[in-house]
Amino acid sequence: MSFDRSIRIAPSILSADFASLGAEIRAVEAEGADWIHVDPMDGHFVPNLTIGPNVVAAIRPHVRTFMDVHLMIAPADPYIEAFAKAGADMITVHAEAGPHLHRTLQAIRATGAKAGVALNMTTPLAQIEHILDALDLILIMTINPGFGGQKFTHGMLDKIRAARAMVGDRPIHIEVDGGIDPLTAPLVAAAGANVLVAGSAVFRGGSIAEPGVYGRNIAALRMAAENAGAAA
Ligand code: DX5
Ligand code: ZN
C-alpha cells in the first residue's frame, strides 16, 4: 500500500447481509468502496459477538481492495496470527485491550500486516503519542464500539484534529468509525480524517439485487468528505 491521504470510504460489512458476505463485498467494491472494514467482536470486550478468523479467511478471496480488520477482542494477542493468516491487510487493536500495546503492534507487523490502534472515546491520544513509529493507522472511535447504527459523537472532532496534528507528515492514516454519514463525513474530513468507515450509511436501502444504491451511498459520502477536505 503506497501512502497518501486521499479519502478512502471503507464500508463496514457489519451492516451487510451476513448470509451473502462474499456477494456483498463484491457489490460494494464494484460500486466504489476503497477498503473493506471487518469487525470481529468477542462478547467480552464489547457486548456483541460477530465473526472470527474462519469467516475472515472465507471472505478474503472476495476482497480485491484492502481488508481492514478492526478487532474488538481482548486479549487480542493470541488471535493476531490467526487473523493475519486469514488475510487481513490491516489489523487494528484497541489500546484498551491489553497492557502491552507496543508488543502487540510489533506482533502485528511481524506477520506482514499493517498495524493500527483504535482508541475508545474516553482514551486519550497520549496513549500512543510516544509510539507513533510502531503504527500505520489511528482509529478514532466516534461511538461506543459494538453495534452499527449509532449516533456520531461530535466531541470527537477535537480529538481527530489533535490526532492529525500529532501525526504530522508521518505515513499514518487517521480513520474514524461510528455514525459516519453524508452529514458527518465533511466534519471528520475537515478535522483531518482520511479513512471513513461507514456501515449503515453504505448498506442502507440497497442489496445485492440493487447494488446501485450502494454506489449512490458511497458517492454521497465521498463527495461530502472530499469537498470538505478541499475546503479545509
Ligand atoms: C461498531 C463497528 C463499526 C460499525 C459502524 O463497533 O466498529 O464499524 O459497523 O456502523 P455505523 O457506520 O452504522 O455507525
Ligand atoms: Zn469498526
Side-chain angles (χ1 to χ4, degrees):
M1 176 180 67
S2 67
F3 185 85
D4 67 65
R5 290 203 176 281
S6 58
I7 294 289
R8 289 156 172 87
I9 306 297
S12 161
I13 58 167
L14 191 59
S15 293
D17 175 0
F18 267 42
S20 311
L21 284 178
E24 290 275 47
I25 288 167
R26 293 196 307 273
V28 289
E29 287 195 343
E31 295 292 336
D34 299 294
W35 288 10
I36 298 296
H37 185 83
V38 185
D39 289 300
M41 301 185 192
D42 67 354
H44 159 78
F45 181 69
V46 290
N48 195 4
L49 280 163
T50 54
I51 67 177
N54 290 349
V55 174
V56 173
I59 61 179
R60 174 71 251 191
H62 301 275
V63 178
R64 296 217 169 146
T65 55
F66 184 84
M67 189 157 64
D68 177 36
V69 178
H70 172 200
L71 296 183
M72 283 158 278
I73 63 178
D77 294 18
Y79 301 100
I80 283 167
E81 181 116 20
F83 281 105
K85 281 209 176 105
D89 294 304
M90 175 80 69
I91 298 179
T92 296
V93 293
H94 269 261
E96 308 83 15
H100 301 293
L101 179 58
H102 188 263
R103 178 182 295 157
T104 305
L105 296 171
Q106 287 179 314
I108 295 171
R109 281 193 174 162
T111 69
K114 301 278 184 190
V117 174
L119 300 175
N120 276 338
M121 294 196 288
T122 52
T123 303
L125 289 172
Q127 289 270 339
I128 50 174
E129 178 182 5
H130 304 292
I131 57 159
L132 291 176
D133 289 347
L135 50 95
D136 302 296
L137 174 144
I138 301 170
L139 169 49
I140 308 282
M141 291 306 301
T142 46
I143 52 160
N144 291 310
F147 303 94
Q150 303 181 69
K151 252 181 77 119
F152 180 80
T153 308
H154 285 262
M156 293 301 113
L157 291 171
D158 276 345
K159 192 177 184 181
I160 297 164
R161 271 189 285 274
R164 179 67 192 87
M166 185 174 79
V167 307
D169 52 17
R170 293 179 180 84
I172 299 175
H173 293 290
I174 309 279
E175 181 175 51
V176 286
D177 188 0
I180 303 302
D181 62 21
L183 291 177
T184 55
L187 308 178
V188 296
N194 68 291
V195 184
L196 278 59
V197 176
S200 8
V202 167
F203 287 95
R204 182 183 297 145
S207 69
I208 50 180
E210 233 185 310
V213 177
Y214 297 158
R216 287 195 283 283
N217 289 344
I218 291 168
L221 286 165
R222 190 188 306 286
M223 197 182 303
E226 283 178 353
N227 289 342

